[in-house]
Amino acid sequence: MKTCLIVIDAQESFRQRPYWDESLAAPYLAAQNALIAGAAEAGLPIVRVYHVDGPTTAANPFAVESGFVRPIEGLAGFDAAATFTKHRHSALVNSGLDIWLTQQGIGRLIVSGIRTEQCCETTTRHASDLGWEVDYVTDATLTFDMVQPDGKPLSAADIKARTATVLAGRFATICGVAQALERAA
């Protein structure tokens, strides 16, 4: 089955947010870069997805005008088989990615990127519902600590564990970097 690595929203925009935490980003970038290197070595197509949203002003880090809609510092360089821009949480909504994947005969997606519980999880659920097999590489996703509606803290580690739990066996196979690359061979 033809497999494609999707790198979702790994863009400098996030570093401009008040919740940015470099200590969480370092292990993510190590895993993401290992996944990119392994996919490139295996000859898998690697797709880059950017998120663009909000006011089209330089003050908005998710606007092209800001200059931050570009690869995040520390991300390994790669030749993207295709690059898509999305304006919703799922990378498959009105971006053209779904059409491209179908035209390329892709049957399995490896999902990685930023943020674990938002765009990565939403894309995974959407892709599964559309019939793609999905390998979700939790270590190659990044999220940040949040505050729950009741005011209690929710750690990034707990968010990642929750995402893996709700996706496993329903929407995706939860993989480490090595396992995702082995399954793609």
Side-chain angles (χ1 to χ4, degrees):
M1 177 179 303
K2 193 168 180 187
T3 301
C4 176
L5 170 60
I6 301 178
V7 181
I8 300 172
D9 301 350
Q11 62 195 65
E12 197 60 33
S13 307
F14 284 100
R15 197 171 254 127
Q16 312 314 307
R17 293 300 206 200
Y19 50 74
W20 177 260
D21 184 335
E22 194 64 42
S23 70
L24 297 172
Y28 154 71
L29 284 167
Q32 181 72 80
N33 288 341
L35 190 57
I36 289 168
E41 184 177 316
L44 301 179
I46 306 172
V47 168
R48 184 186 311 273
V49 178
Y50 289 121
H51 187 88
V52 174
D53 193 13
T56 56
T57 66
N60 171 15
F62 288 90
V64 172
E65 292 78 2
S66 72
F68 295 119
V69 179
R70 58 182 162 83
I72 194 163
E73 184 179 321
L75 184 70
F78 62 90
D79 292 326
T83 299
F84 297 91
T85 300
K86 66 181 186 59
H87 305 282
R88 299 285 184 249
H89 292 100
S90 173
L92 297 165
V93 174
N94 297 325
S95 67
L97 174 58
D98 56 337
I99 295 166
W100 185 88
L101 292 168
T102 300
Q103 290 173 340
Q104 301 305 309
I106 304 295
R108 175 182 286 132
L109 308 179
I110 301 173
V111 172
S112 65
I114 306 175
R115 293 187 60 174
T116 304
E117 78 291 354
Q118 290 184 31
C119 299
C120 295
E121 180 178 334
T122 303
T123 299
T124 296
R125 288 172 179 264
H126 192 173
S128 174
D129 283 350
L130 291 175
W132 279 285
E133 287 189 34
V134 182
D135 289 348
Y136 190 90
V137 185
T138 307
D139 292 344
T141 69
L142 175 64
T143 195
F144 308 95
D145 295 345
M146 296 175 75
V147 177
Q148 298 178 75
D150 65 4
K152 293 178 184 171
L154 184 60
S155 73
D158 287 344
I159 294 168
K160 287 180 124 182
R162 175 246 165 235
T163 295
T165 300
V166 300
L167 292 178
R170 295 174 192 90
F171 300 97
T173 299
I174 305 304
C175 297
V177 171
Q179 183 185 10
L181 293 170
E182 286 170 16
R183 287 172 49 86

